Amino acid sequence: MIEVAGLQKRFGDNTVLRSIDLRVARGEVVALIGPSGSGKSTLLRCLNLLVVPDGGTVRMGERRFDFGGGDALPGTGALAKFRATTGMVFQQFNLFPHRTALQNVMEGPLTVRRMAKPQAEALARELLDKVGLSDKAEQYPSRLSGGQKQRVAIARALAMQPEMMLFDEATSALDPELVGEVLGVMQSLAAEGMTMVIVTHEIAFAREVADRVVFLRDGVIVEDGPARQVIDTPRQDATRAFLSHFHRQREG
């Protein structure tokens, strides 16, 4: 479903990704963990070309891009069509403040997929129900909690009926008591077989929900393996050091 080979990214003199190789199978859930600045979010954004790599290849489904051989990015319309196959949820919710939750979820199907309004509304109501917000359909974002806004953002991404979902620290902007409701929606998606790549600091969630955990540091994949094996018995010293705080919490 996703295949990355030799991926590189620099911002000025700062090399953020150093020859990353990563494969994600259809229906697999992969969690990216690591310290701040390790390249996790940049890697995620390279997958749907929000950030353009400086080298390597990216394949998402049937679409392949070579950034070493001089391939040009597709035009704006083709790029939007490519990104529509990949739902992305960010730290910040980025909802339209002047539109209700229902209207926010309908926007993509109406404007990008050219869906008829009755069908778009039916789909949006179904997805709001899926994320537990059917009773908030007519509310504006200013009347919603952070957790509710993020669940609307997930419903909005799902409204494009993507082949895979990317989550970039989807709970990091939330108050601790609201994190669980968003993780619950993500866990349900995983159980339904959605292909997902998740950047997260929620180590317990990664351990329980992900099929694999990938640990990055300084733009390099240090460790990649089954979620519980990487988290419970990491093989690399750097992974053990990073997870030591989490293990102390569990033991306490």
Side-chain angles (χ1 to χ4, degrees):
M1 193 68 172
I2 302 171
E3 186 172 7
V4 168
L7 198 69
Q8 302 173 40
K9 182 60 189 176
R10 297 179 298 276
F11 294 104
D13 295 331
N14 182 25
T15 300
V16 180
L17 297 176
R18 307 170 188 270
S19 195
I20 296 287
D21 295 332
L22 178 68
R23 299 182 72 176
V24 180
R26 186 178 299 275
E28 192 173 27
V29 178
V30 174
L32 305 180
I33 66 171
S36 297
S38 60
K40 307 183 300 296
S41 292
T42 300
L43 173 55
L44 202 71
R45 289 164 183 256
C46 283
L47 293 181
N48 68 350
L49 305 184
L50 285 174
V51 170
V52 180
D54 294 311
T57 61
V58 174
R59 183 179 65 78
M60 299 284 278
E62 299 303 316
R63 302 164 186 84
R64 184 179 185 275
F65 302 94
D66 183 353
F67 297 98
D71 285 5
L73 283 178
T76 303
L79 195 57
K81 187 175 180 181
F82 165 72
R83 288 179 180 147
T85 66
T86 307
M88 186 140 185
V89 179
F90 300 90
Q91 296 179 32
Q92 301 300 324
F93 325 117
N94 301 321
L95 300 179
F96 293 113
H98 58 290
R99 295 181 181 168
T100 65
L102 181 67
Q103 291 167 339
N104 267 279
V105 179
M106 290 174 61
E107 181 67 20
L110 286 173
T111 61
V112 179
R113 301 185 64 215
R114 305 297 183 187
M115 188 179 288
K117 188 173 181 180
Q119 284 74 34
E121 180 174 345
L123 175 62
R125 289 190 183 278
E126 176 186 334
L127 290 170
L128 285 172
D129 183 61
K130 183 185 185 75
V131 300
L133 291 174
S134 56
D135 60 332
K136 302 293 184 183
E138 308 305 329
Q139 296 286 349
Y140 288 89
S142 61
R143 302 295 301 273
L144 301 175
S145 70
Q148 290 168 340
K149 291 176 187 176
Q150 192 61 294
R151 285 187 281 158
V152 172
I154 293 172
R156 179 182 59 184
L158 292 172
M160 295 301 292
Q161 298 179 321
E163 298 171 15
M164 63 204 82
M165 289 285 288
L166 310 176
F167 292 87
D168 187 10
E169 297 281 13
T171 60
S172 66
L174 301 179
D175 293 333
E177 65 271 18
L178 301 177
V179 168
E181 62 190 60
V182 175
L183 294 181
V185 172
M186 294 167 66
Q187 187 166 7
S188 296
L189 292 175
E192 293 170 6
M194 174 66 76
T195 306
M196 298 164 64
V197 182
I198 304 167
V199 172
T200 186
H201 285 294
E202 301 289 341
I203 302 299
F205 173 78
R207 181 182 183 276
E208 293 301 318
V209 175
D211 299 298
R212 279 167 48 219
V213 164
V214 176
F215 173 68
L216 282 86
R217 190 182 70 169
D218 299 329
V220 175
I221 292 179
V222 175
E223 190 158 356
D224 177 354
R228 295 197 177 201
Q229 178 260 303
V230 171
I231 291 173
D232 292 346
T233 56
R235 295 173 179 157
Q236 302 299 321
D237 291 342
T239 316
R240 281 194 290 272
F242 174 78
L243 291 169
S244 60
H245 177 66
F246 169 73
H247 290 314
R248 284 197 298 270
Q249 284 183 324
R250 289 181 66 198
E251 290 165 2

